[in-house]
Coordinates of all heavy atoms in Angstrom, one line a residue:
E65 N 120.2 110.6 90.4 CA 121.6 110.5 90.4 C 122.3 109.2 90.1 O 122.9 108.4 90.9 CB 122.1 110.9 91.9 CG 121.8 112.2 92.4 CD 122.3 112.5 93.8 OE1 123.5 112.3 94.1 OE2 121.5 112.9 94.6
P66 N 122.0 108.7 88.9 CA 122.5 107.4 88.5 C 124.0 107.1 88.6 O 124.4 106.0 88.9 CB 122.0 107.3 87.0 CG 121.7 108.5 86.6 CD 121.3 109.5 87.8
A67 N 124.7 108.2 88.5 CA 126.2 107.9 88.6 C 126.6 107.6 90.0 O 127.6 107.1 90.2 CB 126.9 109.2 88.3
A68 N 125.7 107.9 91.1 CA 126.0 107.5 92.5 C 125.9 106.0 92.8 O 126.2 105.6 93.7 CB 125.1 108.4 93.4
L69 N 125.2 105.2 91.8 CA 125.1 103.8 92.1 C 126.2 103.1 91.6 O 126.9 103.3 90.8 CB 123.7 103.3 91.2 CG 122.5 104.0 91.6 CD1 121.3 103.5 90.6 CD2 122.0 103.5 93.0
R70 N 126.4 102.0 92.5 CA 127.6 101.1 92.1 C 127.2 100.4 90.9 O 126.2 100.0 90.5 CB 127.7 100.0 93.4 CG 128.8 99.0 93.1 CD 128.9 98.1 94.2 NE 127.7 97.4 94.6 CZ 127.2 96.3 94.0 NH1 127.7 95.8 92.8 NH2 126.0 95.7 94.4
A71 N 128.3 100.3 90.0 CA 128.3 99.6 88.6 C 127.8 98.3 88.9 O 128.2 97.5 89.8 CB 129.6 99.7 88.1
G72 N 126.7 97.9 88.1 CA 126.2 96.6 88.2 C 125.0 96.4 89.2 O 124.5 95.2 89.2
L73 N 124.8 97.3 90.1 CA 123.7 97.2 91.1 C 122.5 97.0 90.5 O 121.7 96.0 91.0 CB 123.7 98.4 92.1 CG 122.8 98.4 93.2 CD1 122.9 97.2 94.1 CD2 122.7 99.7 93.8
I74 N 122.0 97.6 89.6 CA 120.6 97.5 89.0 C 120.5 96.1 88.3 O 119.4 95.5 88.5 CB 120.4 98.7 87.9 CG1 120.4 100.0 88.6 CG2 119.0 98.4 87.1 CD1 119.4 100.2 89.8
E75 N 121.5 95.7 87.6 CA 121.5 94.4 86.9 C 121.4 93.4 88.0 O 120.6 92.3 87.7 CB 122.8 94.2 86.1 CG 122.8 95.1 84.8 CD 123.3 96.5 85.1 OE1 123.8 96.7 86.3 OE2 122.9 97.4 84.2
E76 N 122.0 93.6 89.1 CA 121.9 92.5 90.1 C 120.5 92.5 90.7 O 119.9 91.3 90.9 CB 122.9 92.8 91.4 CG 124.3 92.5 90.9 CD 125.3 93.0 92.1 OE1 124.8 93.3 93.2 OE2 126.4 93.3 91.7
L77 N 119.9 93.6 90.9 CA 118.6 93.7 91.6 C 117.6 93.1 90.6 O 116.6 92.4 91.0 CB 118.2 95.1 91.8 CG 118.7 95.8 93.0 CD1 118.3 97.3 93.2 CD2 118.1 95.1 94.3
T78 N 117.8 93.5 89.3 CA 116.7 93.0 88.3 C 117.0 91.7 87.7 O 116.2 91.3 86.8 CB 116.4 94.0 87.1 OG1 117.7 94.1 86.4 CG2 116.2 95.4 87.7
D79 N 118.1 91.0 88.0 CA 118.5 89.8 87.4 C 118.7 89.9 86.0 O 118.4 89.1 85.1 CB 117.5 88.7 87.8 CG 118.2 87.2 87.7 OD1 119.5 87.1 87.7 OD2 117.3 86.3 87.4
G80 N 119.3 91.1 85.6 CA 119.7 91.3 84.3 C 118.6 92.0 83.4 O 118.8 92.2 82.2
Q81 N 117.4 92.1 83.9 CA 116.3 92.7 83.0 C 116.4 94.2 83.1 O 116.9 94.8 84.1 CB 114.9 92.3 83.7 CG 114.6 90.8 83.7 CD 113.3 90.4 84.2 OE1 112.3 90.8 83.6 NE2 113.3 90.0 85.4
P82 N 115.7 94.9 82.1 CA 115.8 96.2 82.2 C 114.8 96.8 83.3 O 114.0 96.1 83.6 CB 115.1 96.7 80.8 CG 115.2 95.5 80.0 CD 115.2 94.3 80.9
M83 N 115.2 97.9 83.9 CA 114.5 98.5 85.1 C 113.9 99.8 84.5 O 114.7 100.6 83.7 CB 115.3 98.8 86.2 CG 114.5 99.4 87.4 SD 115.3 99.3 89.0 CE 115.8 100.9 89.2
Q84 N 112.6 99.9 84.7 CA 112.0 101.1 84.2 C 111.4 101.9 85.3 O 110.9 101.3 86.3 CB 110.9 100.7 83.2 CG 111.3 100.0 81.9 CD 110.1 99.5 81.1 OE1 109.4 100.3 80.5 NE2 109.9 98.2 81.2
V85 N 111.4 103.1 85.3 CA 110.8 103.9 86.3 C 109.9 105.1 85.8 O 110.2 105.7 84.8 CB 111.8 104.6 87.1 CG1 111.3 105.5 88.3 CG2 112.8 103.5 87.7
W86 N 108.6 105.1 86.3 CA 107.7 106.1 86.0 C 107.4 106.9 87.2 O 107.3 106.6 88.3 CB 106.3 105.5 85.4 CG 106.5 104.6 84.2 CD1 106.4 105.0 82.9 CD2 106.8 103.2 84.2 NE1 106.6 104.0 82.1 CE2 106.9 102.8 82.8 CE3 107.0 102.2 85.2 CZ2 107.1 101.5 82.4 CZ3 107.2 101.0 84.8 CH2 107.4 100.7 83.3
R87 N 107.1 108.2 86.9 CA 106.7 109.1 87.9 C 105.2 109.2 88.1 O 104.6 109.3 87.0 CB 107.2 110.6 87.8 CG 108.8 110.6 87.8 CD 109.3 112.0 87.6 NE 110.7 112.0 87.3 CZ 111.6 112.5 88.1 NH1 111.2 113.0 89.3 NH2 112.8 112.5 87.9
V88 N 104.7 108.9 89.2 CA 103.2 109.1 89.4 C 103.0 110.0 90.7 O 104.0 110.2 91.4 CB 102.5 107.7 89.6 CG1 102.7 106.7 88.5 CG2 103.2 107.0 90.8
T89 N 101.8 110.5 90.7 CA 101.3 111.4 91.6 C 100.3 110.9 92.5 O 99.3 110.5 92.0 CB 101.0 112.8 91.2 OG1 102.1 113.4 90.3 CG2 100.6 113.8 92.3
V90 N 100.4 110.8 93.9 CA 99.6 110.4 94.7 C 99.2 111.6 95.8 O 100.1 111.9 96.5 CB 99.9 109.1 95.5 CG1 98.8 108.7 96.4 CG2 100.1 108.0 94.5
R91 N 98.1 112.0 95.7 CA 97.7 113.1 96.8 C 98.6 114.2 96.6 O 99.1 114.7 97.5 CB 97.6 112.6 98.2 CG 96.5 111.6 98.4 CD 96.3 111.2 100.0 NE 95.4 110.3 100.2 CZ 95.0 109.9 101.3 NH1 95.6 110.2 102.4 NH2 94.1 109.0 101.5
N92 N 98.8 114.7 95.4 CA 99.8 115.8 95.1 C 101.2 115.6 95.4 O 101.9 116.6 95.6 CB 99.2 117.1 95.7 CG 97.8 117.4 95.1 OD1 97.6 117.2 93.8 ND2 96.9 117.8 96.0
R93 N 101.6 114.3 95.6 CA 103.0 114.1 96.1 C 103.6 113.1 95.0 O 102.9 112.1 94.6 CB 103.2 113.4 97.4 CG 102.7 114.3 98.6 CD 103.1 113.7 99.8 NE 104.4 113.4 100.1 CZ 104.9 112.4 100.6 NH1 104.2 111.5 101.3 NH2 106.1 112.0 100.8
P94 N 104.9 113.4 94.6 CA 105.5 112.5 93.6 C 106.0 111.2 94.2 O 106.5 111.1 95.3 CB 106.6 113.4 93.2 CG 107.0 114.1 94.2 CD 105.7 114.4 95.0
F95 N 105.7 110.1 93.4 CA 106.2 108.8 93.7 C 106.8 108.2 92.4 O 106.7 108.7 91.3 CB 105.0 107.9 94.1 CG 104.5 108.3 95.5 CD1 103.5 109.3 95.7 CD2 104.9 107.8 96.7 CE1 103.0 109.8 96.8 CE2 104.3 108.1 98.0 CZ 103.5 109.3 98.0
Y96 N 107.5 107.0 92.7 CA 108.0 106.3 91.5 C 107.3 104.9 91.6 O 107.2 104.1 92.4 CB 109.5 106.0 91.9 CG 110.4 107.4 91.8 CD1 111.1 107.6 92.9 CD2 110.4 108.2 90.8 CE1 111.8 108.8 93.1 CE2 111.2 109.3 90.9 CZ 111.9 109.6 92.0 OH 112.6 110.8 92.0
L97 N 107.0 104.6 90.2 CA 106.6 103.3 89.9 C 107.6 102.5 89.2 O 108.1 103.0 88.2 CB 105.3 103.2 89.1 CG 104.7 101.9 88.7 CD1 104.3 101.0 90.0 CD2 103.5 102.1 87.7
I98 N 108.2 101.4 89.7 CA 109.3 100.7 89.1 C 109.0 99.4 88.5 O 108.2 98.6 89.4 CB 110.4 100.5 90.2 CG1 110.8 101.9 90.8 CG2 111.7 100.0 89.5 CD1 110.3 102.1 92.2
G99 N 109.4 98.8 87.4 CA 109.0 97.7 86.8 C 110.3 97.1 86.3 O 111.1 97.7 85.7
F100 N 110.3 95.7 86.2 CA 111.3 95.0 85.6 C 110.7 94.4 84.3 O 109.7 93.9 84.4 CB 111.9 93.8 86.4 CG 112.5 94.3 87.8 CD1 112.6 93.2 88.6 CD2 112.7 95.5 88.2 CE1 113.3 93.6 89.8 CE2 113.2 95.8 89.3 CZ 113.4 94.8 90.3
G101 N 111.5 94.4 83.2 CA 111.0 93.7 82.0 C 111.2 94.5 80.8 O 111.7 95.5 80.7
A102 N 110.6 94.0 79.7 CA 110.6 94.6 78.4 C 110.0 96.0 78.5 O 109.1 96.3 79.2 CB 109.9 93.7 77.4
L103 N 110.7 96.9 77.8 CA 110.2 98.3 77.8 C 108.8 98.4 77.4 O 108.4 97.9 76.5 CB 111.2 99.1 76.9 CG 112.7 99.2 77.3 CD1 113.4 100.0 76.3 CD2 112.8 99.8 78.6
T104 N 108.1 99.2 78.1 CA 106.7 99.5 77.8 C 106.3 100.8 78.2 O 106.9 101.4 79.0 CB 105.8 98.3 78.5 OG1 104.5 98.6 78.2 CG2 105.9 98.6 80.1
D105 N 105.3 101.5 77.5 CA 104.6 102.6 78.0 C 103.7 102.4 79.1 O 102.8 101.5 79.0 CB 104.0 103.2 76.8 CG 104.9 103.8 75.7 OD1 106.0 104.2 76.2 OD2 104.7 104.0 74.7

Side-chain angles (χ1 to χ4, degrees):
E65 299 180 52
L69 293 174
R70 176 179 52 82
L73 177 65
I74 299 302
E75 291 77 16
E76 290 173 19
L77 282 175
T78 66
D79 202 22
Q81 297 182 72
M83 185 164 101
Q84 302 173 74
V85 180
W86 298 271
R87 293 175 195 255
V88 295
T89 303
V90 176
R91 292 187 181 177
N92 298 318
R93 292 188 56 218
F95 291 84
Y96 298 119
L97 178 61
I98 306 105
F100 304 168
L103 298 177
T104 185
D105 288 329

